[in-house]
């Protein structure tokens, strides 16, 4: 297993393997053939950055049995998803400025699949080889905006505001998602906890189905959907999304 971190250090961007409090610095293309430089940095000496720059962040809805059962939803025949634009991206530790008068906003802690190779129309077997690793995602939603107009559910506007798609802190490889749990804390209090083994569509199946007719590029991110326990983010609150093996994605909403 490896945990890849991106950072800024002395005015330069870089990436490497995270091991405890130390980063082994690499050069080249993270999704190509990165090369170790032999240099190391202390985590305390760098500013964490987005672990990758997706051309698109695809976010699933209704992908957990527990939530589907609670809401009386049918199992989807294909992934139900929307796209969050790049202005939503924020690294762990970065603050999110919530627009005044936007109303209630919700946290949704999720597992994120990071695509490592370009591909389209992938089989499930092939899709597994296109998964580079996993990260934490907070799919933030402006709830009052979502259904403000009865004629049109505003997925893009309600989930596409600046900073409403934080992810990180690293990309972890070699994980078995079925063994992991997503936990969300708001101001230190646990508000959401659910097992990823409850996913309806599993990661390789998700990548395969999303790739039908849509080319996935290296660094693209697919959020696997959330389960029960989503809730409000009070103004000024800090939200932490934690998945073992990946780490803690933490952002303050002001």
């Amino acid at each position: 297993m490896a945990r890849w971190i991106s950072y800024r250090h002395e005015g330069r961007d870089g990436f490497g393997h995270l091991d405890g409090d130390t980063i082994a610095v690499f050069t080249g293309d993270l999704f190509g053939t990165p090369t170790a430089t032999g240099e190391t940095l202390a985590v305390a000496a760098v500013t964490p950055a987005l672990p990758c720059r997706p051309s698109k962040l695809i976010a699933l809805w209704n992908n957990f049995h527990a939530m589907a059962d609670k809401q009386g939803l049918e199992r989807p025949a294909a992934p139900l998803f929307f796209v969050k634009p790049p202005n939503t991206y924020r690294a762990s530790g970065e603050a999110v400025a919530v627009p005044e008068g936007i109303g209630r906003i919700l946290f949704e802690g999720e597992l994120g699949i990071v695509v490592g190779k370009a591909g389209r129309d992938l089989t499930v077997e092939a899709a597994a080889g296109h998964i580079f690793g996993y990260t934490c995602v907070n799919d933030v939603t402006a709830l009052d905006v979502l259904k403000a107009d009865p004629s049109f559910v505003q997925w893009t506007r309600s989930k596409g505001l600046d900073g409403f798609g934080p992810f990180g802190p690293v990309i972890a490889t070699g994980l078995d998602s079925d063994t992991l749990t997503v936990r969300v804390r708001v101001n230190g209090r646990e508000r959401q906890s659910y097992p990823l083994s409850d996913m309806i569509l599993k990661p390789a199946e998700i990548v395969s189905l999303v790739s039908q007719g849509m080319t996935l590029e290296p660094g693209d991110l697919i959020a696997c959907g959330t389960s029960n326990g989503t809730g409000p983010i009070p103004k000024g609150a800090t939200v932490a999304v934690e998945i073992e093996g990946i780490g803690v994605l933490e952002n303050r909403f002001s």
Side-chain angles (χ1 to χ4, degrees):
M1 188 186 86
R3 298 172 71 219
W4 292 95
I5 185 171
S6 295
Y7 58 82
R8 190 161 184 79
H9 177 66
E10 295 182 345
R12 295 181 298 169
D13 296 326
F15 72 96
H17 277 171
L18 176 63
D19 184 8
D21 296 327
T22 303
I23 300 168
V25 177
F26 277 65
T27 189
D29 181 1
L30 174 61
F31 302 111
T33 54
T35 303
T37 66
E39 180 186 1
T40 61
L41 292 171
V43 173
V46 307
T47 300
L50 287 172
C52 60
R53 291 277 178 178
S55 71
K56 47 192 171 291
L57 194 174
I58 296 165
L60 271 65
W61 180 75
N62 186 21
N63 192 40
F64 282 84
H65 293 285
M67 177 170 271
D69 290 346
K70 183 176 181 180
Q71 297 187 10
L73 303 171
E74 298 293 329
R75 175 192 169 102
L80 305 174
F81 64 84
F82 48 89
V83 176
K84 296 177 82 94
N87 62 287
T88 65
Y89 305 163
R90 291 293 183 276
S92 185
E94 291 187 335
V96 177
V98 179
E100 291 293 334
I102 203 68
R104 294 171 294 169
I105 62 171
L106 300 182
F107 63 81
E108 298 181 19
E110 306 187 12
L111 176 73
I113 302 167
V114 179
V115 175
K117 296 190 296 183
R120 175 182 158 172
D121 302 329
L122 302 170
T123 64
V124 174
E125 293 74 20
H130 285 249
I131 297 174
F132 180 81
Y134 299 99
T135 193
C136 301
V137 178
N138 187 358
D139 176 17
V140 182
T141 307
L143 185 62
D144 294 343
V145 172
L146 183 64
K147 298 182 179 180
D149 189 323
S151 70
F152 183 74
V153 180
Q154 299 188 70
W155 291 107
T156 300
R157 183 176 173 225
S158 66
K159 291 174 172 286
L161 300 172
D162 288 354
F164 275 34
F167 65 92
V170 303
I171 304 170
T173 64
L175 297 178
D176 177 0
S177 63
D178 268 354
T179 67
L180 307 178
T181 299
V182 177
R183 293 183 171 87
V184 179
R185 296 183 297 276
V186 179
N187 289 336
R189 179 185 175 191
E190 186 169 282
R191 301 297 303 274
Q192 189 175 26
S193 178
Y194 64 91
L196 288 168
S197 59
D198 188 49
M199 273 195 282
I200 296 171
L201 300 174
K202 303 294 185 176
E205 192 174 7
I206 291 169
V207 172
S208 171
L209 291 170
V210 170
S211 78
Q212 302 308 307
M214 178 189 291
T215 300
L216 297 175
E217 304 288 351
D220 280 353
L221 180 59
I222 305 174
C224 294
T226 197
S227 190
N228 295 326
T230 63
I233 304 175
K235 188 171 181 62
T238 296
V239 180
V241 180
E242 181 173 10
I243 303 175
E244 56 266 53
I246 300 174
V248 181
L249 165 70
E250 187 170 275
N251 302 91
R252 183 176 182 272
F253 291 78
S254 59

